[in-house]
Amino acid sequence: IGAWALLEALTHLRGWINEGICSREATMSVNVSPRQLHDPNFVPVVHEALQRSHIAPDQLWLEITEGVMIAQPEQALEALTKLCALGVRVAIDDFGTGYSSMSWLAKLPIDAIKIDRSFVNDSDRRDCIAIVHAVTKLAAALNMATVAEGIETRAQFTTVTDAGCNEAQGFYFS
């Protein structure tokens, strides 16, 4: 099912690009389960999906949760390294709600950190604002982008952009 979902997502992106619905540089983000990442065939599956859909590797974002590093960390690191070598980009999804480990964050070939919506929804609380600021500074120091999830109001958008977030997503925009 994961291989099918990946191919479907990339095929839709190709169709939207061909129809002029989105730009040639548009990207597609796909969530990856720990089970998929630990599958020895996952990297070839991703490579095949990119080839079949005629999508450039840098147009694919694979989103993983912090938990992928728990069960088989060396295998996950190897898969992520191979995916990055293909040119695929990787983001840590829901950052700060799972098993945040700074040692793994520094070792992983990660392009972006997605700040969990729980910190954004409570962005009027000083502690949540402090966490958003800290994560954006950490990401910048590690040459990673930040994406704030769950933006529902203009005030939340202003708070995260003032904190240095590079990108934001949520119902406020669509």
Side-chain angles (χ1 to χ4, degrees):
I1 291 175
W4 172 84
L6 175 64
L7 181 59
E8 279 292 302
L10 293 176
T11 301
H12 280 293
L13 177 59
R14 171 52 53 210
W16 295 330
I17 291 170
N18 291 347
E19 293 171 24
I21 294 172
C22 58
S23 75
R24 295 193 168 281
E25 295 81 30
T27 62
M28 177 64 72
S29 295
V30 177
N31 290 338
V32 176
S33 73
R35 184 178 196 163
Q36 284 176 283
L37 192 62
H38 294 125
D39 180 348
N41 293 319
F42 184 63
V43 175
V45 163
V46 171
H47 188 257
E48 181 182 344
L50 289 165
Q51 287 184 323
R52 289 180 59 190
S53 62
H54 304 286
I55 294 294
D58 67 343
Q59 289 179 269
L60 173 61
W61 280 92
L62 295 178
E63 296 187 9
I64 62 170
T65 60
E66 298 163 278
V68 301
M69 301 311 296
I70 300 302
Q72 298 169 310
E74 297 304 324
Q75 188 175 0
L77 179 58
E78 181 182 341
L80 290 172
T81 301
K82 288 178 181 177
L83 289 164
C84 287
L86 286 177
V88 172
R89 296 189 279 179
V90 178
I92 295 183
D93 197 16
D94 302 330
F95 186 77
T97 61
Y99 305 96
S100 300
S101 169
M102 296 304 141
S103 65
W104 277 115
L105 187 60
K107 291 178 188 177
L108 294 175
I110 301 297
D111 299 291
I113 295 174
K114 297 184 74 177
I115 300 170
D116 187 70
R117 69 183 317 116
S118 62
F119 301 112
V120 173
N121 289 341
D122 291 333
S123 62
D124 56 335
R125 290 182 31 208
R126 289 174 45 121
D127 56 340
C128 289
I129 294 170
I131 289 170
V132 172
H133 276 273
V135 172
T136 57
K137 288 182 192 296
L138 174 65
L142 294 172
N143 294 319
M144 298 176 189
T146 50
V147 180
E149 297 180 302
I151 304 297
E152 296 181 4
T153 67
R154 177 89 173 137
Q156 290 172 336
F157 179 62
T158 300
T159 298
V160 299
T161 55
D162 288 350
C165 281
N166 306 97
E167 298 178 29
Q169 68 182 54
F171 291 122
Y172 175 69
F173 305 105
S174 176

